[in-house]
Amino acid sequence: ANEWIYKQLFGDRVIFHYVDQVELKGTLVQDTSYSFSRQNLQKNPEVIKYALEKVADRMVITFQKFTHDFKNAYKDIYFGNCQGKDGFQDKPLAIIGTPHVSPAVYFLYSKYLGLDFKPEDFRQEMHAVHRNGLYFNFYTFNDERLRTLQFYFIERELRQAIGRGRPIRRPDADILVLSNYPLPEATQLRELL
């Protein structure tokens, strides 16, 4: 649950209790070499080639549109359709993508939360970002509130996909994430080199 979103909805009626980062029993490694967005996967053959090399024989969760590009991609589990899926933790797993949502989702959420924006506020550009204790460059909004919504949606989808491998409770879980949105619980590939 994102504290900022819930505070916007319920004000002081909601109380948050913080829990430190949960220690993973399994292995979670992330490669941020490319954006792995839908657009980049579609327009840049080098990105698909790179992903295919990194994935090897792992089972894959990615965007539904790209499941045909990976021989071991789950056809019934993809970004937007990961929640509640179980029984997929028996093999090494690769998560491929940075799951952005439609700009209309940001607009609808901001309206529901009572936030006022002008159309030009929904433009995105490259920014140096600090989030979850990490510094990185990311294509995002200028407005911090829209940025918070964007990061919430991306984190939610990535963590749902990662959760299919059950790295919290399984010591043999082996998960590789290919996304330019760094997660604090993942060991970054550059740290291993």
Side-chain angles (χ1 to χ4, degrees):
N2 181 284
E3 181 178 7
W4 179 79
I5 291 174
Y6 280 90
K7 292 276 186 182
Q8 292 296 311
L9 290 171
F10 303 111
D12 293 334
R13 295 181 296 165
V14 65
I15 298 171
F16 270 76
H17 298 278
Y18 296 94
V19 177
D20 283 340
Q21 185 69 39
V22 176
E23 186 176 330
L24 301 179
K25 290 184 178 179
T27 302
L28 177 61
V29 175
Q30 184 171 17
D31 182 340
T32 59
S33 299
Y34 294 97
S35 82
F36 299 101
S37 65
R38 279 183 200 89
Q39 184 176 350
N40 206 19
L41 286 167
Q42 184 173 342
K43 292 184 176 180
N44 191 346
E46 182 181 316
V47 176
I48 289 280
K49 181 181 176 193
Y50 181 86
L52 286 167
E53 289 171 5
K54 289 291 183 187
V55 165
D57 291 330
R58 293 171 180 271
M59 297 305 294
V60 172
I61 296 175
T62 189
F63 302 101
Q64 184 179 21
K65 180 178 182 174
F66 295 100
T67 57
H68 67 278
D69 289 307
F70 300 95
K71 67 178 180 177
N72 291 335
Y74 290 111
K75 304 301 183 213
D76 59 338
I77 304 176
Y78 44 84
F79 290 128
N81 189 38
C82 290
Q83 192 169 347
K85 305 290 185 183
D86 201 8
F88 302 97
Q89 62 267 14
D90 58 337
K91 297 178 180 155
L93 180 63
I95 312 299
I96 303 170
T98 304
H100 295 273
V101 297
S102 165
V105 173
Y106 302 126
F107 179 77
L108 291 172
Y109 262 76
S110 62
K111 283 296 186 189
Y112 187 73
L113 295 172
L115 307 173
D116 289 323
F117 291 107
K118 299 180 287 291
E120 57 268 19
D121 293 332
F122 290 90
R123 272 183 276 175
Q124 297 181 31
E125 55 191 37
M126 191 59 71
H127 287 277
V129 175
H130 179 239
R131 174 96 170 158
N132 297 323
L134 301 170
Y135 292 92
F136 55 99
N137 293 320
F138 202 77
Y139 196 71
T140 187
F141 303 101
N142 285 323
D143 189 281
E144 194 66 38
R145 299 167 300 169
L146 285 172
R147 194 178 292 180
T148 298
L149 284 174
Q150 178 187 22
F151 293 168
Y152 164 72
F153 287 115
I154 293 170
E155 289 171 7
R156 181 183 71 179
E157 285 303 314
L158 286 174
R159 288 191 173 120
Q160 278 296 326
I162 290 165
R164 301 316 93 212
R166 306 292 188 233
I168 292 174
R169 66 176 184 230
R170 293 187 55 247
D172 61 336
D174 179 11
I175 302 169
L176 172 66
V177 177
L178 302 178
S179 171
N180 71 326
Y181 186 86
L183 297 167
E185 63 269 31
T187 301
Q188 298 301 313
L189 184 62
R190 67 180 174 274
E191 295 170 15
L192 298 173
L193 301 175

